[in-house]
Amino acid sequence: QLQASGGGLVQAGGSLRLSCAYSGRRLSTYTVGWFRQAPGKEREFLSAISRSGTGENYADSVKGRSTISRDNAKNTVSLQIGSLEPEDTATYYCAATYASPSVLKESPQSAEYWGQGTLVTVSS
């Protein structure tokens, strides 16, 4: 149902725009969030955006250098991340939930769907 894309190899200091596409009828039904998981580490919440796009939240690790947005007409949610560092290397996942962004942040298990992940590698 969810397809994440946009990952790749980028140099430190660069930026990427990740996209999450929904193959169902209406992505506007869901809050959508982004998570990442680096090898050997736990899954980390990054950002989420409400159904209408009027509410969003960010983890401290990406606050100030990332922007989440959505286009409900195109059934997509994007996450732009700048000032990338090698520590940002991870597989990035999108998730959709009926709950609010704050609930998704605190309870990833609330997600109805998860994308398959897209790998981001940041070289120094």
Side-chain angles (χ1 to χ4, degrees):
Q1 296 271 22
L2 293 176
Q3 179 83 25
S5 62
L9 177 64
V10 62
Q11 289 189 333
S15 63
L16 277 177
R17 185 178 182 86
L18 306 178
S19 292
C20 179
Y22 178 60
S23 60
R25 285 188 61 188
R26 293 172 57 187
L27 187 60
S28 58
T29 302
Y30 304 99
T31 288
V32 178
W34 286 93
F35 295 77
R36 68 185 177 189
Q37 188 165 21
K41 294 188 177 181
E42 294 186 354
R43 181 176 55 196
E44 177 189 11
F45 169 85
L46 298 177
S47 181
I49 188 167
S50 63
R51 297 176 186 82
S52 64
T54 57
E56 55 196 56
N57 57 4
Y58 298 90
D60 289 344
S61 59
V62 297
K63 189 178 295 182
R65 63 186 181 102
S66 66
T67 302
I68 192 170
S69 60
R70 68 188 300 158
D71 185 338
N72 285 336
K74 295 182 178 179
N75 272 0
T76 59
V77 171
S78 298
L79 181 68
Q80 178 87 24
I81 307 177
S83 302
L84 288 164
E85 295 297 331
E87 304 84 74
D88 294 310
T89 295
T91 299
Y92 286 67
Y93 300 89
C94 56
T97 179
Y98 292 117
S100 67
S102 59
V103 170
L104 182 60
K105 177 181 180 180
E106 299 302 325
S107 302
Q109 62 270 26
S110 71
E112 295 290 322
Y113 304 108
W114 288 89
Q116 87 293 354
T118 185
L119 178 63
V120 173
T121 304
V122 184
S123 63
S124 57

